[in-house]
Amino acid sequence: MTAPTVPSPRSASGLPGSPDLLRSVFRRHAAGVAVITAESGGRPVGFTATSLNSVSAEPPLLSFTIGTGSSSWPGVRDSEHLGVHILGEHQQELAGLFARNGADRFGPATDWAPGPHGVPVLGGVLGWLVCRVVARVPAGVHRVVIAEVVAGDPAAEPAGGPAGEGRPLLYHQGRFNALRD
């Protein structure tokens, strides 16, 4: 039996904690891509998120983060219900649209309709959920939003494919990517 390899003090010491260190390491972490939507003052708002997590099955809870400087923050802050949309690899353009500042995210090119609780629901996604916000937790210049699932469709029809099928869109190394076989 061989003893486990112990990192040298030089390699184990790493770099001091900083925003740049966090960004550098997390560029190497592939994340799924979602779009979060809300209704705010009679208008739809939304943004691209890569921080979506399943929190609990009982009750069904999820979380995501949003910067308080985001143009979508006031809508997310003031909404009781939100939409969560899982994007497919065919939706890189949609992910980019919802990530761009000042973009007309709900313009004529975006397939959407009001859903349960008035939440904007996007078409062509791999699946969507409508959730009731249960907490907004301060975390630096962001908020961690925790929400309970109240409705959804796990088999939404992606463009160009049968309902419930499709491969997820990923975010890695600062770009949207598809899975490779």
Side-chain angles (χ1 to χ4, degrees), residues 6 10 44 55 99 107 116 130 145 150 157:
V6 177
R10 176 181 156 90
V55 173
V130 169
V145 177
V150 297
E157 189 165 339

Side-chain angles (χ1 to χ4, degrees), residues 15 19-30 172-173:
L15 301 170
D20 288 338
L21 174 62
L22 180 69
R23 286 185 199 103
S24 294
V25 170
F26 267 81
R27 277 188 201 106
R28 290 158 175 79
H29 173 69
H172 182 251
Q173 293 286 359

